[in-house]
Amino acid sequence: DRGEQRWVVGVLHVDGLVLTLTSPPSRDPIRFPTLFLPIALDIKDLEIRNALIKKQDKTWPVAELHVRGYWHGTNVRVDQLRVREPQYGDLLLDGRVHLLGGYPITAKGQLSPRWLTEKGWQPLQVILRGEVANLELEAESHGRYRASLAGKVQPLLPSLPYRATLDWSDHQFPWLRQHELYSQAGHLRV
């Protein structure tokens, strides 16, 4: 145990949490404080139910959030982050965040948007990297429908600026009620 003090959170369950995100007052680079935890914090089971995340005039409900991980110094290891929201879908991630500078992050996992999985798509494989204020993301769909998305997003700015590229192989999308869309591969940049 390298002689470090260690606190263990065995089980912590929270119901009805409301998290309000504030946007920075300008487009200047965001400066994060260095967060240094002088002891080791080992989280075995953190569960949050019926939460709301608010940012300006938008609200996102989160039915369930489960976290297992470890924090010591400026290093946070997320062994599992599982978010479930029946209306939107599910997210399962693991990764690392360093709580200094721009908070560099690397994470990978699965995203299961409800509107895709209900139509026969398999969960999307996702990768996040970069810094919290400037995320790079990749998502790939395997199985019956093959597609990949690569992009950059600035989630902390009010306008949520992003760039994305979508590539796909042969697809026919019969679930569009009024139109049937067919494509023999493609590329879209936004």
Side-chain angles (χ1 to χ4, degrees):
D1 238 327
R2 300 181 309 261
E4 64 191 24
Q5 267 193 315
R6 179 188 212 109
W7 286 359
V8 176
V9 176
V11 176
L12 177 60
H13 292 184
V14 177
D15 195 353
L17 178 76
V18 176
L19 176 63
T20 302
L21 303 174
T22 58
S23 298
S26 72
R27 292 191 60 95
D28 292 338
I30 297 168
R31 294 181 186 260
F32 294 106
T34 295
L35 297 178
F36 182 87
L37 190 63
I39 60 166
L41 181 61
D42 193 356
I43 301 170
K44 302 291 186 188
D45 180 15
L46 170 61
E47 178 182 293
I48 300 172
R49 291 181 173 268
N50 304 312
L52 290 175
I53 300 172
K54 295 181 176 186
K55 182 177 180 183
Q56 292 180 329
D57 60 344
K58 303 222 182 325
T59 300
W60 297 278
V62 177
E64 292 178 32
L65 181 138
H66 293 93
V67 178
R68 284 193 344 253
Y70 181 83
W71 179 9
H72 185 244
T74 59
N75 299 310
V76 175
R77 183 187 75 227
V78 178
D79 296 324
Q80 183 181 63
L81 170 66
R82 186 174 38 140
V83 181
R84 190 178 74 72
E85 176 44 54
Q87 182 178 352
Y88 300 109
D90 302 330
L91 174 67
L92 181 63
L93 287 176
D94 64 74
R96 294 183 179 274
V97 179
H98 299 283
L99 302 177
L100 54 91
Y103 291 12
I105 183 171
T106 57
K108 63 180 176 45
Q110 290 186 340
L111 175 64
S112 302
R114 189 81 52 232
W115 61 277
L116 287 177
T117 56
E118 287 176 348
K119 305 302 181 195
W121 284 60
Q122 292 182 2
L124 304 173
Q125 302 303 311
V126 296
I127 296 174
L128 298 172
R129 64 176 147 280
E131 294 184 342
V132 170
N134 294 295
L135 286 177
E136 296 177 21
L137 68 95
E138 296 175 18
E140 286 195 21
S141 168
H142 301 285
R144 188 169 141 196
Y145 302 110
R146 298 186 62 80
S148 65
L149 174 74
K152 294 183 178 189
V153 64
Q154 294 178 308
L156 302 181
L157 292 179
S159 61
L160 197 66
Y162 68 91
R163 286 190 326 241
T165 302
L166 175 65
D167 292 298
W168 63 91
S169 60
D170 293 352
H171 287 306
Q172 186 167 2
F173 299 98
W175 64 81
L176 298 173
R177 293 178 187 217
Q178 297 176 340
H179 306 286
E180 197 167 277
L181 174 65
Y182 177 76
S183 172
Q184 290 185 358
H187 178 86
L188 174 66
R189 181 171 292 169
V190 234

mmCIF file of all heavy atoms in Angstrom, residues 47-76:
data_model
loop_
_atom_site.group_PDB
_atom_site.id
_atom_site.type_symbol
_atom_site.label_atom_id
_atom_site.label_comp_id
_atom_site.label_asym_id
_atom_site.label_seq_id
_atom_site.Cartn_x
_atom_site.Cartn_y
_atom_site.Cartn_z
ATOM 1 N N GLU A 47 -23.687 5.215 -5.926
ATOM 2 C CA GLU A 47 -24.882 5.164 -6.774
ATOM 3 C C GLU A 47 -25.698 6.430 -6.575
ATOM 4 O O GLU A 47 -25.979 6.829 -5.450
ATOM 5 C CB GLU A 47 -25.740 3.953 -6.409
ATOM 6 C CG GLU A 47 -27.020 3.854 -7.212
ATOM 7 C CD GLU A 47 -27.856 2.661 -6.792
ATOM 8 O OE1 GLU A 47 -27.419 1.521 -7.021
ATOM 9 O OE2 GLU A 47 -28.933 2.887 -6.207
ATOM 10 N N ILE A 48 -26.047 7.076 -7.679
ATOM 11 C CA ILE A 48 -26.905 8.262 -7.645
ATOM 12 C C ILE A 48 -28.129 7.953 -8.496
ATOM 13 O O ILE A 48 -28.001 7.543 -9.643
ATOM 14 C CB ILE A 48 -26.160 9.502 -8.178
ATOM 15 C CG1 ILE A 48 -24.919 9.775 -7.318
ATOM 16 C CG2 ILE A 48 -27.084 10.718 -8.212
ATOM 17 C CD1 ILE A 48 -24.012 10.857 -7.866
ATOM 18 N N ARG A 49 -29.310 8.150 -7.927
ATOM 19 C CA ARG A 49 -30.566 7.889 -8.642
ATOM 20 C C ARG A 49 -31.377 9.174 -8.740
ATOM 21 O O ARG A 49 -31.296 10.035 -7.884
ATOM 22 C CB ARG A 49 -31.410 6.836 -7.919
ATOM 23 C CG ARG A 49 -30.812 5.462 -7.956
ATOM 24 C CD ARG A 49 -31.731 4.478 -7.226
ATOM 25 N NE ARG A 49 -31.246 3.137 -7.411
ATOM 26 C CZ ARG A 49 -31.634 2.329 -8.395
ATOM 27 N NH1 ARG A 49 -32.519 2.725 -9.268
ATOM 28 N NH2 ARG A 49 -31.134 1.127 -8.501
ATOM 29 N N ASN A 50 -32.176 9.255 -9.801
ATOM 30 C CA ASN A 50 -33.123 10.366 -9.993
ATOM 31 C C ASN A 50 -32.434 11.724 -9.897
ATOM 32 O O ASN A 50 -32.884 12.614 -9.188
ATOM 33 C CB ASN A 50 -34.265 10.268 -8.989
ATOM 34 C CG ASN A 50 -34.960 8.935 -9.071
ATOM 35 O OD1 ASN A 50 -35.303 8.482 -10.163
ATOM 36 N ND2 ASN A 50 -35.149 8.286 -7.939
ATOM 37 N N ALA A 51 -31.353 11.878 -10.653
ATOM 38 C CA ALA A 51 -30.598 13.128 -10.641
ATOM 39 C C ALA A 51 -31.014 14.012 -11.812
ATOM 40 O O ALA A 51 -31.553 13.536 -12.808
ATOM 41 C CB ALA A 51 -29.108 12.830 -10.720
ATOM 42 N N LEU A 52 -30.745 15.291 -11.671
ATOM 43 C CA LEU A 52 -30.950 16.261 -12.747
ATOM 44 C C LEU A 52 -29.667 17.035 -12.953
ATOM 45 O O LEU A 52 -29.040 17.475 -11.991
ATOM 46 C CB LEU A 52 -32.063 17.247 -12.410
ATOM 47 C CG LEU A 52 -33.486 16.718 -12.374
ATOM 48 C CD1 LEU A 52 -34.439 17.812 -11.902
ATOM 49 C CD2 LEU A 52 -33.906 16.216 -13.744
ATOM 50 N N ILE A 53 -29.268 17.193 -14.213
ATOM 51 C CA ILE A 53 -28.139 18.046 -14.556
ATOM 52 C C ILE A 53 -28.718 19.233 -15.297
ATOM 53 O O ILE A 53 -29.417 19.071 -16.298
ATOM 54 C CB ILE A 53 -27.119 17.299 -15.435
ATOM 55 C CG1 ILE A 53 -26.583 16.071 -14.683
ATOM 56 C CG2 ILE A 53 -25.978 18.235 -15.837
ATOM 57 C CD1 ILE A 53 -25.719 15.171 -15.520
ATOM 58 N N LYS A 54 -28.443 20.435 -14.793
ATOM 59 C CA LYS A 54 -28.981 21.654 -15.387
ATOM 60 C C LYS A 54 -27.848 22.520 -15.905
ATOM 61 O O LYS A 54 -26.837 22.695 -15.238
ATOM 62 C CB LYS A 54 -29.788 22.443 -14.351
ATOM 63 C CG LYS A 54 -31.021 21.724 -13.867
ATOM 64 C CD LYS A 54 -31.769 22.565 -12.860
ATOM 65 C CE LYS A 54 -33.054 21.890 -12.439
ATOM 66 N NZ LYS A 54 -33.856 22.747 -11.565
ATOM 67 N N LYS A 55 -28.062 23.061 -17.110
ATOM 68 C CA LYS A 55 -27.124 24.027 -17.685
ATOM 69 C C LYS A 55 -27.953 25.032 -18.454
ATOM 70 O O LYS A 55 -28.632 24.677 -19.409
ATOM 71 C CB LYS A 55 -26.124 23.340 -18.608
ATOM 72 C CG LYS A 55 -25.101 24.304 -19.185
ATOM 73 C CD LYS A 55 -24.069 23.597 -20.029
ATOM 74 C CE LYS A 55 -23.082 24.617 -20.567
ATOM 75 N NZ LYS A 55 -22.099 24.019 -21.441
ATOM 76 N N GLN A 56 -27.925 26.270 -18.015
ATOM 77 C CA GLN A 56 -28.727 27.357 -18.569
ATOM 78 C C GLN A 56 -30.196 26.926 -18.604
ATOM 79 O O GLN A 56 -30.747 26.584 -17.576
ATOM 80 C CB GLN A 56 -28.203 27.777 -19.935
ATOM 81 C CG GLN A 56 -26.845 28.441 -19.842
ATOM 82 C CD GLN A 56 -26.325 28.866 -21.186
ATOM 83 O OE1 GLN A 56 -26.606 28.254 -22.207
ATOM 84 N NE2 GLN A 56 -25.537 29.921 -21.180
ATOM 85 N N ASP A 57 -30.817 26.895 -19.773
ATOM 86 C CA ASP A 57 -32.234 26.551 -19.843
ATOM 87 C C ASP A 57 -32.472 25.080 -20.191
ATOM 88 O O ASP A 57 -33.577 24.683 -20.512
ATOM 89 C CB ASP A 57 -32.946 27.452 -20.864
ATOM 90 C CG ASP A 57 -32.365 27.311 -22.267
ATOM 91 O OD1 ASP A 57 -31.244 26.769 -22.390
ATOM 92 O OD2 ASP A 57 -33.025 27.740 -23.223
ATOM 93 N N LYS A 58 -31.440 24.246 -20.119
ATOM 94 C CA LYS A 58 -31.570 22.827 -20.456
ATOM 95 C C LYS A 58 -31.469 21.978 -19.201
ATOM 96 O O LYS A 58 -30.733 22.296 -18.273
ATOM 97 C CB LYS A 58 -30.487 22.419 -21.438
ATOM 98 C CG LYS A 58 -30.474 23.236 -22.704
ATOM 99 C CD LYS A 58 -30.266 22.377 -23.896
ATOM 100 C CE LYS A 58 -30.179 23.093 -25.200
ATOM 101 N NZ LYS A 58 -30.930 24.237 -25.461
ATOM 102 N N THR A 59 -32.212 20.882 -19.193
ATOM 103 C CA THR A 59 -32.178 19.941 -18.077
ATOM 104 C C THR A 59 -32.068 18.529 -18.631
ATOM 105 O O THR A 59 -32.799 18.163 -19.551
ATOM 106 C CB THR A 59 -33.461 20.049 -17.222
ATOM 107 O OG1 THR A 59 -33.548 21.387 -16.711
ATOM 108 C CG2 THR A 59 -33.447 19.087 -16.064
ATOM 109 N N TRP A 60 -31.131 17.742 -18.083
ATOM 110 C CA TRP A 60 -30.961 16.350 -18.480
ATOM 111 C C TRP A 60 -31.210 15.461 -17.267
ATOM 112 O O TRP A 60 -30.493 15.546 -16.280
ATOM 113 C CB TRP A 60 -29.551 16.095 -19.002
ATOM 114 C CG TRP A 60 -29.222 16.870 -20.234
ATOM 115 C CD1 TRP A 60 -29.545 16.549 -21.515
ATOM 116 C CD2 TRP A 60 -28.511 18.104 -20.312
ATOM 117 N NE1 TRP A 60 -29.081 17.499 -22.380
ATOM 118 C CE2 TRP A 60 -28.437 18.476 -21.666
ATOM 119 C CE3 TRP A 60 -27.931 18.946 -19.365
ATOM 120 C CZ2 TRP A 60 -27.804 19.628 -22.098
ATOM 121 C CZ3 TRP A 60 -27.305 20.100 -19.796
ATOM 122 C CH2 TRP A 60 -27.244 20.427 -21.152
ATOM 123 N N PRO A 61 -32.214 14.592 -17.362
ATOM 124 C CA PRO A 61 -32.453 13.667 -16.256
ATOM 125 C C PRO A 61 -31.485 12.485 -16.326
ATOM 126 O O PRO A 61 -31.088 12.061 -17.412
ATOM 127 C CB PRO A 61 -33.893 13.205 -16.505
ATOM 128 C CG PRO A 61 -34.077 13.334 -17.983
ATOM 129 C CD PRO A 61 -33.211 14.486 -18.416
ATOM 130 N N VAL A 62 -31.093 11.983 -15.181
ATOM 131 C CA VAL A 62 -30.260 10.787 -15.090
ATOM 132 C C VAL A 62 -30.961 9.844 -14.114
ATOM 133 O O VAL A 62 -31.086 10.163 -12.932
ATOM 134 C CB VAL A 62 -28.830 11.108 -14.596
ATOM 135 C CG1 VAL A 62 -28.011 9.831 -14.451
ATOM 136 C CG2 VAL A 62 -28.146 12.087 -15.535
ATOM 137 N N ALA A 63 -31.439 8.723 -14.622
ATOM 138 C CA ALA A 63 -32.160 7.775 -13.767
ATOM 139 C C ALA A 63 -31.212 7.104 -12.779
ATOM 140 O O ALA A 63 -31.513 6.995 -11.595
ATOM 141 C CB ALA A 63 -32.890 6.727 -14.617
ATOM 142 N N GLU A 64 -30.060 6.642 -13.284
ATOM 143 C CA GLU A 64 -29.090 5.963 -12.415
ATOM 144 C C GLU A 64 -27.682 6.274 -12.873
ATOM 145 O O GLU A 64 -27.411 6.349 -14.072
ATOM 146 C CB GLU A 64 -29.252 4.442 -12.501
ATOM 147 C CG GLU A 64 -30.523 3.904 -11.934
ATOM 148 C CD GLU A 64 -30.614 2.398 -12.111
ATOM 149 O OE1 GLU A 64 -29.573 1.719 -12.100
ATOM 150 O OE2 GLU A 64 -31.733 1.917 -12.272
ATOM 151 N N LEU A 65 -26.789 6.442 -11.912
ATOM 152 C CA LEU A 65 -25.373 6.615 -12.175
ATOM 153 C C LEU A 65 -24.626 5.785 -11.141
ATOM 154 O O LEU A 65 -24.896 5.922 -9.943
ATOM 155 C CB LEU A 65 -24.986 8.091 -12.062
ATOM 156 C CG LEU A 65 -23.525 8.409 -12.330
ATOM 157 C CD1 LEU A 65 -23.422 9.666 -13.171
ATOM 158 C CD2 LEU A 65 -22.746 8.571 -11.055
ATOM 159 N N HIS A 66 -23.770 4.897 -11.603
ATOM 160 C CA HIS A 66 -22.946 4.071 -10.711
ATOM 161 C C HIS A 66 -21.481 4.353 -11.015
ATOM 162 O O HIS A 66 -21.100 4.423 -12.180
ATOM 163 C CB HIS A 66 -23.195 2.572 -10.933
ATOM 164 C CG HIS A 66 -24.553 2.132 -10.535
ATOM 165 N ND1 HIS A 66 -25.604 2.084 -11.407
ATOM 166 C CD2 HIS A 66 -25.038 1.721 -9.346
ATOM 167 C CE1 HIS A 66 -26.678 1.660 -10.783
ATOM 168 N NE2 HIS A 66 -26.367 1.440 -9.530
ATOM 169 N N VAL A 67 -20.673 4.480 -9.962
ATOM 170 C CA VAL A 67 -19.241 4.735 -10.138
ATOM 171 C C VAL A 67 -18.448 3.824 -9.217
ATOM 172 O O VAL A 67 -18.798 3.648 -8.044
ATOM 173 C CB VAL A 67 -18.879 6.211 -9.798
ATOM 174 C CG1 VAL A 67 -17.379 6.436 -9.944
ATOM 175 C CG2 VAL A 67 -19.640 7.172 -10.679
ATOM 176 N N ARG A 68 -17.378 3.260 -9.777
ATOM 177 C CA ARG A 68 -16.339 2.572 -9.009
ATOM 178 C C ARG A 68 -15.019 3.159 -9.468
ATOM 179 O O ARG A 68 -14.793 3.317 -10.669
ATOM 180 C CB ARG A 68 -16.339 1.068 -9.292
ATOM 181 C CG ARG A 68 -17.431 0.319 -8.630
ATOM 182 C CD ARG A 68 -17.227 -1.201 -8.671
ATOM 183 N NE ARG A 68 -16.244 -1.664 -9.637
ATOM 184 C CZ ARG A 68 -16.543 -2.303 -10.780
ATOM 185 N NH1 ARG A 68 -17.775 -2.531 -11.116
ATOM 186 N NH2 ARG A 68 -15.571 -2.702 -11.578
ATOM 187 N N GLY A 69 -14.145 3.506 -8.526
ATOM 188 C CA GLY A 69 -12.872 4.078 -8.939
ATOM 189 C C GLY A 69 -11.956 4.390 -7.784
ATOM 190 O O GLY A 69 -12.188 3.964 -6.645
ATOM 191 N N TYR A 70 -10.947 5.187 -8.088
ATOM 192 C CA TYR A 70 -9.862 5.440 -7.151
ATOM 193 C C TYR A 70 -9.299 6.831 -7.417
ATOM 194 O O TYR A 70 -9.123 7.221 -8.578
ATOM 195 C CB TYR A 70 -8.778 4.370 -7.380
ATOM 196 C CG TYR A 70 -7.598 4.455 -6.477
ATOM 197 C CD1 TYR A 70 -7.638 3.893 -5.207
ATOM 198 C CD2 TYR A 70 -6.422 5.059 -6.897
ATOM 199 C CE1 TYR A 70 -6.529 3.946 -4.379
ATOM 200 C CE2 TYR A 70 -5.310 5.126 -6.078
ATOM 201 C CZ TYR A 70 -5.376 4.561 -4.817
ATOM 202 O OH TYR A 70 -4.289 4.619 -3.989
ATOM 203 N N TRP A 71 -9.010 7.598 -6.355
ATOM 204 C CA TRP A 71 -8.445 8.936 -6.486
ATOM 205 C C TRP A 71 -7.332 9.092 -5.480
ATOM 206 O O TRP A 71 -7.521 8.886 -4.274
ATOM 207 C CB TRP A 71 -9.527 9.984 -6.246
ATOM 208 C CG TRP A 71 -9.098 11.422 -6.325
ATOM 209 C CD1 TRP A 71 -7.899 11.918 -6.741
ATOM 210 C CD2 TRP A 71 -9.889 12.557 -5.981
ATOM 211 N NE1 TRP A 71 -7.889 13.291 -6.679
ATOM 212 C CE2 TRP A 71 -9.111 13.713 -6.217
ATOM 213 C CE3 TRP A 71 -11.188 12.721 -5.507
ATOM 214 C CZ2 TRP A 71 -9.567 14.990 -5.982
ATOM 215 C CZ3 TRP A 71 -11.647 13.999 -5.279
ATOM 216 C CH2 TRP A 71 -10.849 15.123 -5.516
ATOM 217 N N HIS A 72 -6.154 9.474 -5.979
ATOM 218 C CA HIS A 72 -5.042 9.806 -5.103
ATOM 219 C C HIS A 72 -4.205 10.865 -5.789
ATOM 220 O O HIS A 72 -3.908 10.749 -6.976
ATOM 221 C CB HIS A 72 -4.179 8.578 -4.782
ATOM 222 C CG HIS A 72 -3.105 8.885 -3.794
ATOM 223 N ND1 HIS A 72 -1.767 8.816 -4.107
ATOM 224 C CD2 HIS A 72 -3.151 9.302 -2.502
ATOM 225 C CE1 HIS A 72 -1.047 9.147 -3.056
ATOM 226 N NE2 HIS A 72 -1.860 9.450 -2.066
ATOM 227 N N GLY A 73 -3.835 11.913 -5.047
ATOM 228 C CA GLY A 73 -3.104 13.022 -5.641
ATOM 229 C C GLY A 73 -3.992 13.712 -6.663
ATOM 230 O O GLY A 73 -5.125 14.089 -6.366
ATOM 231 N N THR A 74 -3.496 13.859 -7.887
ATOM 232 C CA THR A 74 -4.297 14.474 -8.958
ATOM 233 C C THR A 74 -4.815 13.412 -9.931
ATOM 234 O O THR A 74 -5.401 13.751 -10.955
ATOM 235 C CB THR A 74 -3.450 15.503 -9.748
ATOM 236 O OG1 THR A 74 -2.324 14.845 -10.313
ATOM 237 C CG2 THR A 74 -3.035 16.661 -8.872
ATOM 238 N N ASN A 75 -4.592 12.151 -9.625
ATOM 239 C CA ASN A 75 -4.960 11.063 -10.532
ATOM 240 C C ASN A 75 -6.259 10.396 -10.109
ATOM 241 O O ASN A 75 -6.384 9.924 -8.979
ATOM 242 C CB ASN A 75 -3.853 10.015 -10.583
ATOM 243 C CG ASN A 75 -2.559 10.599 -11.089
ATOM 244 O OD1 ASN A 75 -2.536 11.263 -12.113
ATOM 245 N ND2 ASN A 75 -1.483 10.379 -10.354
ATOM 246 N N VAL A 76 -7.200 10.352 -11.037
ATOM 247 C CA VAL A 76 -8.473 9.666 -10.815
ATOM 248 C C VAL A 76 -8.566 8.530 -11.827
ATOM 249 O O VAL A 76 -8.424 8.747 -13.030
ATOM 250 C CB VAL A 76 -9.683 10.619 -10.984
ATOM 251 C CG1 VAL A 76 -10.988 9.856 -10.862
ATOM 252 C CG2 VAL A 76 -9.616 11.745 -9.965
#
